[in-house]
mmCIF file of all heavy atoms in Angstrom:
data_model
loop_
_atom_site.group_PDB
_atom_site.id
_atom_site.type_symbol
_atom_site.label_atom_id
_atom_site.label_comp_id
_atom_site.label_asym_id
_atom_site.label_seq_id
_atom_site.Cartn_x
_atom_site.Cartn_y
_atom_site.Cartn_z
ATOM 1 N N ALA J 1348 10.801 1.958 3.890
ATOM 2 C CA ALA J 1348 11.109 1.169 2.698
ATOM 3 C C ALA J 1348 12.559 1.363 2.302
ATOM 4 O O ALA J 1348 13.103 2.464 2.418
ATOM 5 C CB ALA J 1348 10.195 1.568 1.552
ATOM 6 N N SER J 1349 13.173 0.298 1.833
ATOM 7 C CA SER J 1349 14.542 0.378 1.341
ATOM 8 C C SER J 1349 14.729 -0.632 0.218
ATOM 9 O O SER J 1349 14.009 -1.630 0.132
ATOM 10 C CB SER J 1349 15.540 0.113 2.471
ATOM 11 O OG SER J 1349 15.356 -1.183 3.015
ATOM 12 N N GLY J 1350 15.692 -0.336 -0.656
ATOM 13 C CA GLY J 1350 16.022 -1.263 -1.722
ATOM 14 C C GLY J 1350 15.144 -1.169 -2.949
ATOM 15 O O GLY J 1350 15.220 -2.030 -3.828
ATOM 16 N N LEU J 1351 14.293 -0.142 -3.015
ATOM 17 C CA LEU J 1351 13.449 0.055 -4.193
ATOM 18 C C LEU J 1351 13.340 1.542 -4.487
ATOM 19 O O LEU J 1351 13.635 2.367 -3.615
ATOM 20 C CB LEU J 1351 12.054 -0.557 -3.975
ATOM 21 C CG LEU J 1351 11.039 0.175 -3.078
ATOM 22 C CD1 LEU J 1351 9.655 -0.480 -3.237
ATOM 23 C CD2 LEU J 1351 11.441 0.189 -1.649
ATOM 24 N N SER J 1352 12.958 1.838 -5.729
ATOM 25 C CA SER J 1352 12.744 3.225 -6.108
ATOM 26 C C SER J 1352 11.383 3.638 -5.565
ATOM 27 O O SER J 1352 10.363 3.548 -6.255
ATOM 28 C CB SER J 1352 12.798 3.361 -7.626
ATOM 29 O OG SER J 1352 12.665 4.716 -8.006
ATOM 30 N N PHE J 1353 11.386 4.102 -4.333
ATOM 31 C CA PHE J 1353 10.164 4.235 -3.552
ATOM 32 C C PHE J 1353 9.120 5.097 -4.245
ATOM 33 O O PHE J 1353 7.933 4.750 -4.255
ATOM 34 C CB PHE J 1353 10.515 4.822 -2.184
ATOM 35 C CG PHE J 1353 9.349 5.005 -1.269
ATOM 36 C CD1 PHE J 1353 8.752 3.920 -0.657
ATOM 37 C CD2 PHE J 1353 8.836 6.272 -1.020
ATOM 38 C CE1 PHE J 1353 7.671 4.081 0.195
ATOM 39 C CE2 PHE J 1353 7.755 6.453 -0.170
ATOM 40 C CZ PHE J 1353 7.174 5.346 0.435
ATOM 41 N N SER J 1354 9.526 6.213 -4.823
ATOM 42 C CA SER J 1354 8.562 7.143 -5.385
ATOM 43 C C SER J 1354 7.836 6.585 -6.607
ATOM 44 O O SER J 1354 6.828 7.141 -7.033
ATOM 45 C CB SER J 1354 9.244 8.471 -5.759
ATOM 46 O OG SER J 1354 10.192 8.259 -6.789
ATOM 47 N N THR J 1355 8.328 5.492 -7.167
ATOM 48 C CA THR J 1355 7.681 4.902 -8.339
ATOM 49 C C THR J 1355 6.703 3.792 -7.967
ATOM 50 O O THR J 1355 6.144 3.147 -8.845
ATOM 51 C CB THR J 1355 8.717 4.349 -9.330
ATOM 52 O OG1 THR J 1355 9.389 3.220 -8.741
ATOM 53 C CG2 THR J 1355 9.741 5.403 -9.718
ATOM 54 N N TYR J 1356 6.523 3.560 -6.684
ATOM 55 C CA TYR J 1356 5.631 2.499 -6.219
ATOM 56 C C TYR J 1356 4.379 3.068 -5.563
ATOM 57 O O TYR J 1356 4.450 4.012 -4.770
ATOM 58 C CB TYR J 1356 6.342 1.586 -5.213
ATOM 59 C CG TYR J 1356 7.214 0.554 -5.862
ATOM 60 C CD1 TYR J 1356 8.469 0.887 -6.345
ATOM 61 C CD2 TYR J 1356 6.763 -0.756 -6.019
ATOM 62 C CE1 TYR J 1356 9.267 -0.057 -6.959
ATOM 63 C CE2 TYR J 1356 7.551 -1.706 -6.628
ATOM 64 C CZ TYR J 1356 8.811 -1.348 -7.094
ATOM 65 O OH TYR J 1356 9.591 -2.292 -7.709
ATOM 66 N N ARG J 1357 3.252 2.475 -5.895
ATOM 67 C CA ARG J 1357 2.019 2.666 -5.157
ATOM 68 C C ARG J 1357 2.186 1.925 -3.830
ATOM 69 O O ARG J 1357 2.688 0.817 -3.796
ATOM 70 C CB ARG J 1357 0.870 2.078 -5.973
ATOM 71 C CG ARG J 1357 -0.434 1.952 -5.254
ATOM 72 C CD ARG J 1357 -1.419 1.154 -6.096
ATOM 73 N NE ARG J 1357 -1.988 1.929 -7.187
ATOM 74 C CZ ARG J 1357 -3.006 1.514 -7.919
ATOM 75 N NH1 ARG J 1357 -3.572 0.340 -7.684
ATOM 76 N NH2 ARG J 1357 -3.487 2.253 -8.904
ATOM 77 N N MET J 1358 1.751 2.552 -2.742
ATOM 78 C CA MET J 1358 1.892 1.947 -1.414
ATOM 79 C C MET J 1358 0.522 1.684 -0.801
ATOM 80 O O MET J 1358 -0.411 2.463 -0.983
ATOM 81 C CB MET J 1358 2.692 2.860 -0.489
ATOM 82 C CG MET J 1358 4.116 3.121 -0.958
ATOM 83 S SD MET J 1358 5.100 1.625 -1.088
ATOM 84 C CE MET J 1358 5.137 1.073 0.621
ATOM 85 N N GLY J 1359 0.440 0.593 -0.077
ATOM 86 C CA GLY J 1359 -0.817 0.238 0.561
ATOM 87 C C GLY J 1359 -0.624 -0.287 1.965
ATOM 88 O O GLY J 1359 0.464 -0.732 2.332
ATOM 89 N N TRP J 1360 -1.707 -0.199 2.731
ATOM 90 C CA TRP J 1360 -1.782 -0.839 4.038
ATOM 91 C C TRP J 1360 -2.890 -1.892 3.977
ATOM 92 O O TRP J 1360 -3.985 -1.619 3.489
ATOM 93 C CB TRP J 1360 -2.098 0.164 5.142
ATOM 94 C CG TRP J 1360 -0.945 1.029 5.544
ATOM 95 C CD1 TRP J 1360 -0.674 2.284 5.098
ATOM 96 C CD2 TRP J 1360 0.086 0.703 6.478
ATOM 97 N NE1 TRP J 1360 0.473 2.763 5.683
ATOM 98 C CE2 TRP J 1360 0.959 1.809 6.547
ATOM 99 C CE3 TRP J 1360 0.369 -0.419 7.266
ATOM 100 C CZ2 TRP J 1360 2.088 1.828 7.370
ATOM 101 C CZ3 TRP J 1360 1.487 -0.391 8.089
ATOM 102 C CH2 TRP J 1360 2.331 0.721 8.136
ATOM 103 N N PHE J 1361 -2.585 -3.065 4.465
ATOM 104 C CA PHE J 1361 -3.535 -4.158 4.583
ATOM 105 C C PHE J 1361 -3.597 -4.579 6.047
ATOM 106 O O PHE J 1361 -2.729 -4.234 6.840
ATOM 107 C CB PHE J 1361 -3.095 -5.355 3.735
ATOM 108 C CG PHE J 1361 -3.227 -5.154 2.250
ATOM 109 C CD1 PHE J 1361 -2.361 -4.324 1.561
ATOM 110 C CD2 PHE J 1361 -4.223 -5.803 1.536
ATOM 111 C CE1 PHE J 1361 -2.486 -4.139 0.188
ATOM 112 C CE2 PHE J 1361 -4.352 -5.633 0.166
ATOM 113 C CZ PHE J 1361 -3.476 -4.805 -0.509
ATOM 114 N N ARG J 1362 -4.607 -5.343 6.384
ATOM 115 C CA ARG J 1362 -4.684 -5.888 7.732
ATOM 116 C C ARG J 1362 -5.288 -7.283 7.687
ATOM 117 O O ARG J 1362 -6.029 -7.629 6.776
ATOM 118 C CB ARG J 1362 -5.505 -4.988 8.662
ATOM 119 C CG ARG J 1362 -6.985 -4.884 8.310
ATOM 120 C CD ARG J 1362 -7.649 -3.832 9.195
ATOM 121 N NE ARG J 1362 -9.068 -3.670 8.898
ATOM 122 C CZ ARG J 1362 -9.839 -2.736 9.428
ATOM 123 N NH1 ARG J 1362 -9.333 -1.849 10.286
ATOM 124 N NH2 ARG J 1362 -11.124 -2.657 9.104
ATOM 125 N N GLN J 1363 -4.936 -8.061 8.712
ATOM 126 C CA GLN J 1363 -5.467 -9.418 8.815
ATOM 127 C C GLN J 1363 -5.802 -9.702 10.262
ATOM 128 O O GLN J 1363 -4.915 -9.686 11.136
ATOM 129 C CB GLN J 1363 -4.468 -10.448 8.285
ATOM 130 C CG GLN J 1363 -5.031 -11.855 8.219
ATOM 131 C CD GLN J 1363 -4.160 -12.781 7.389
ATOM 132 O OE1 GLN J 1363 -2.999 -12.511 7.114
ATOM 133 N NE2 GLN J 1363 -4.744 -13.885 6.954
ATOM 134 N N ALA J 1364 -7.076 -9.924 10.509
ATOM 135 C CA ALA J 1364 -7.546 -10.277 11.841
ATOM 136 C C ALA J 1364 -7.532 -11.798 11.988
ATOM 137 O O ALA J 1364 -7.575 -12.516 10.981
ATOM 138 C CB ALA J 1364 -8.954 -9.735 12.057
ATOM 139 N N PRO J 1365 -7.490 -12.294 13.215
ATOM 140 C CA PRO J 1365 -7.465 -13.748 13.428
ATOM 141 C C PRO J 1365 -8.639 -14.430 12.757
ATOM 142 O O PRO J 1365 -9.796 -14.010 12.919
ATOM 143 C CB PRO J 1365 -7.543 -13.877 14.952
ATOM 144 C CG PRO J 1365 -6.968 -12.611 15.461
ATOM 145 C CD PRO J 1365 -7.370 -11.560 14.484
ATOM 146 N N GLY J 1366 -8.359 -15.465 11.994
ATOM 147 C CA GLY J 1366 -9.401 -16.227 11.338
ATOM 148 C C GLY J 1366 -10.000 -15.584 10.114
ATOM 149 O O GLY J 1366 -10.962 -16.107 9.541
ATOM 150 N N LYS J 1367 -9.456 -14.439 9.702
ATOM 151 C CA LYS J 1367 -9.995 -13.734 8.541
ATOM 152 C C LYS J 1367 -8.928 -13.581 7.468
ATOM 153 O O LYS J 1367 -7.733 -13.697 7.732
ATOM 154 C CB LYS J 1367 -10.527 -12.367 8.952
ATOM 155 C CG LYS J 1367 -11.720 -12.424 9.897
ATOM 156 C CD LYS J 1367 -12.294 -11.047 10.134
ATOM 157 C CE LYS J 1367 -13.533 -11.108 11.017
ATOM 158 N NZ LYS J 1367 -14.118 -9.749 11.226
ATOM 159 N N GLU J 1368 -9.382 -13.286 6.263
ATOM 160 C CA GLU J 1368 -8.451 -13.062 5.172
ATOM 161 C C GLU J 1368 -7.839 -11.664 5.280
ATOM 162 O O GLU J 1368 -8.406 -10.761 5.885
ATOM 163 C CB GLU J 1368 -9.178 -13.209 3.833
ATOM 164 C CG GLU J 1368 -9.655 -14.617 3.543
ATOM 165 C CD GLU J 1368 -10.221 -14.752 2.142
ATOM 166 O OE1 GLU J 1368 -10.352 -13.728 1.450
ATOM 167 O OE2 GLU J 1368 -10.540 -15.888 1.748
ATOM 168 N N ARG J 1369 -6.683 -11.526 4.651
ATOM 169 C CA ARG J 1369 -6.049 -10.220 4.606
ATOM 170 C C ARG J 1369 -6.907 -9.285 3.760
ATOM 171 O O ARG J 1369 -7.362 -9.649 2.692
ATOM 172 C CB ARG J 1369 -4.649 -10.345 4.013
ATOM 173 C CG ARG J 1369 -3.803 -9.100 4.141
ATOM 174 C CD ARG J 1369 -2.372 -9.362 3.733
ATOM 175 N NE ARG J 1369 -1.759 -10.355 4.608
ATOM 176 C CZ ARG J 1369 -0.447 -10.657 4.582
ATOM 177 N NH1 ARG J 1369 0.356 -10.022 3.736
ATOM 178 N NH2 ARG J 1369 0.042 -11.563 5.387
ATOM 179 N N GLU J 1370 -7.117 -8.063 4.257
ATOM 180 C CA GLU J 1370 -7.953 -7.117 3.539
ATOM 181 C C GLU J 1370 -7.239 -5.786 3.339
ATOM 182 O O GLU J 1370 -6.435 -5.358 4.160
ATOM 183 C CB GLU J 1370 -9.276 -6.873 4.291
ATOM 184 C CG GLU J 1370 -9.139 -6.185 5.620
ATOM 185 C CD GLU J 1370 -10.469 -5.715 6.192
ATOM 186 O OE1 GLU J 1370 -11.487 -5.712 5.456
ATOM 187 O OE2 GLU J 1370 -10.499 -5.333 7.382
ATOM 188 N N PHE J 1371 -7.579 -5.138 2.231
ATOM 189 C CA PHE J 1371 -7.044 -3.827 1.924
ATOM 190 C C PHE J 1371 -7.629 -2.795 2.872
ATOM 191 O O PHE J 1371 -8.815 -2.819 3.181
ATOM 192 C CB PHE J 1371 -7.395 -3.470 0.479
ATOM 193 C CG PHE J 1371 -7.065 -2.062 0.091
ATOM 194 C CD1 PHE J 1371 -5.784 -1.711 -0.287
ATOM 195 C CD2 PHE J 1371 -8.045 -1.088 0.107
ATOM 196 C CE1 PHE J 1371 -5.483 -0.405 -0.651
ATOM 197 C CE2 PHE J 1371 -7.763 0.220 -0.257
ATOM 198 C CZ PHE J 1371 -6.471 0.552 -0.632
ATOM 199 N N VAL J 1372 -6.783 -1.857 3.326
ATOM 200 C CA VAL J 1372 -7.227 -0.791 4.228
ATOM 201 C C VAL J 1372 -7.119 0.568 3.557
ATOM 202 O O VAL J 1372 -8.091 1.332 3.507
ATOM 203 C CB VAL J 1372 -6.393 -0.791 5.530
ATOM 204 C CG1 VAL J 1372 -6.783 0.394 6.414
ATOM 205 C CG2 VAL J 1372 -6.564 -2.102 6.277
ATOM 206 N N ALA J 1373 -5.940 0.889 3.022
ATOM 207 C CA ALA J 1373 -5.720 2.214 2.446
ATOM 208 C C ALA J 1373 -4.576 2.144 1.451
ATOM 209 O O ALA J 1373 -3.679 1.312 1.587
ATOM 210 C CB ALA J 1373 -5.406 3.231 3.530
ATOM 211 N N GLY J 1374 -4.611 3.051 0.466
ATOM 212 C CA GLY J 1374 -3.553 3.101 -0.515
ATOM 213 C C GLY J 1374 -3.253 4.531 -0.923
ATOM 214 O O GLY J 1374 -4.107 5.410 -0.799
ATOM 215 N N ILE J 1375 -2.033 4.750 -1.405
ATOM 216 C CA ILE J 1375 -1.619 6.064 -1.880
ATOM 217 C C ILE J 1375 -0.822 5.870 -3.155
ATOM 218 O O ILE J 1375 0.011 4.964 -3.261
ATOM 219 C CB ILE J 1375 -0.839 6.840 -0.800
ATOM 220 C CG1 ILE J 1375 -0.577 8.281 -1.246
ATOM 221 C CG2 ILE J 1375 0.454 6.128 -0.422
ATOM 222 C CD1 ILE J 1375 -0.135 9.190 -0.099
ATOM 223 N N SER J 1376 -1.100 6.715 -4.118
ATOM 224 C CA SER J 1376 -0.498 6.539 -5.437
ATOM 225 C C SER J 1376 0.964 6.958 -5.455
ATOM 226 O O SER J 1376 1.483 7.534 -4.510
ATOM 227 C CB SER J 1376 -1.280 7.363 -6.459
ATOM 228 O OG SER J 1376 -1.140 8.737 -6.185
ATOM 229 N N ARG J 1377 1.586 6.667 -6.586
ATOM 230 C CA ARG J 1377 2.945 7.114 -6.805
ATOM 231 C C ARG J 1377 3.025 8.627 -6.763
ATOM 232 O O ARG J 1377 2.013 9.305 -6.900
ATOM 233 C CB ARG J 1377 3.414 6.635 -8.179
ATOM 234 C CG ARG J 1377 3.467 5.153 -8.348
ATOM 235 C CD ARG J 1377 3.495 4.731 -9.801
ATOM 236 N NE ARG J 1377 4.418 5.511 -10.596
ATOM 237 C CZ ARG J 1377 4.954 5.069 -11.729
ATOM 238 N NH1 ARG J 1377 4.666 3.873 -12.176
ATOM 239 N NH2 ARG J 1377 5.756 5.834 -12.431
ATOM 240 N N SER J 1378 4.243 9.131 -6.638
ATOM 241 C CA SER J 1378 4.423 10.577 -6.651
ATOM 242 C C SER J 1378 4.049 11.117 -8.020
ATOM 243 O O SER J 1378 4.047 10.401 -9.017
ATOM 244 C CB SER J 1378 5.869 10.936 -6.346
ATOM 245 O OG SER J 1378 6.721 10.404 -7.347
ATOM 246 N N GLY J 1379 3.731 12.340 -8.059
ATOM 247 C CA GLY J 1379 3.347 12.963 -9.308
ATOM 248 C C GLY J 1379 2.661 14.277 -9.032
ATOM 249 O O GLY J 1379 2.597 14.727 -7.898
ATOM 250 N N ARG J 1380 2.140 14.888 -10.075
ATOM 251 C CA ARG J 1380 1.498 16.180 -9.905
ATOM 252 C C ARG J 1380 0.301 16.097 -8.978
ATOM 253 O O ARG J 1380 -0.061 17.058 -8.310
ATOM 254 C CB ARG J 1380 1.079 16.747 -11.256
ATOM 255 C CG ARG J 1380 2.252 17.220 -12.095
ATOM 256 C CD ARG J 1380 1.771 17.800 -13.417
ATOM 257 N NE ARG J 1380 1.152 16.784 -14.238
ATOM 258 C CZ ARG J 1380 0.576 17.053 -15.415
ATOM 259 N NH1 ARG J 1380 0.516 18.281 -15.866
ATOM 260 N NH2 ARG J 1380 0.044 16.071 -16.110
ATOM 261 N N SER J 1381 -0.301 14.907 -8.915
ATOM 262 C CA SER J 1381 -1.464 14.745 -8.039
ATOM 263 C C SER J 1381 -1.086 14.803 -6.578
ATOM 264 O O SER J 1381 -1.936 14.981 -5.711
ATOM 265 C CB SER J 1381 -2.151 13.417 -8.337
ATOM 266 O OG SER J 1381 -1.292 12.345 -7.993
ATOM 267 N N GLY J 1382 0.179 14.589 -6.281
ATOM 268 C CA GLY J 1382 0.597 14.657 -4.897
ATOM 269 C C GLY J 1382 0.259 13.437 -4.099
ATOM 270 O O GLY J 1382 0.433 13.436 -2.881
#
């Protein structure tokens, strides 16, 4: 990632198979005490 304050953003991975809608796969929260 570049051009954004990365640690303040929640990040996710999505995927899209042929003929299907894009779906959520995994996410990780912003930085913080939770890690």
Side-chain angles (χ1 to χ4, degrees):
S1349 61
L1351 76 169
S1352 183
F1353 180 74
S1354 64
T1355 67
Y1356 279 79
R1357 169 189 283 191
M1358 298 300 297
W1360 284 96
F1361 289 73
R1362 66 187 179 187
Q1363 187 166 18
K1367 295 187 177 181
E1368 293 187 354
R1369 190 171 298 189
E1370 66 168 348
F1371 172 82
V1372 175
I1375 188 165
S1376 66
R1377 298 161 45 156
S1378 62
R1380 288 181 295 176
S1381 66

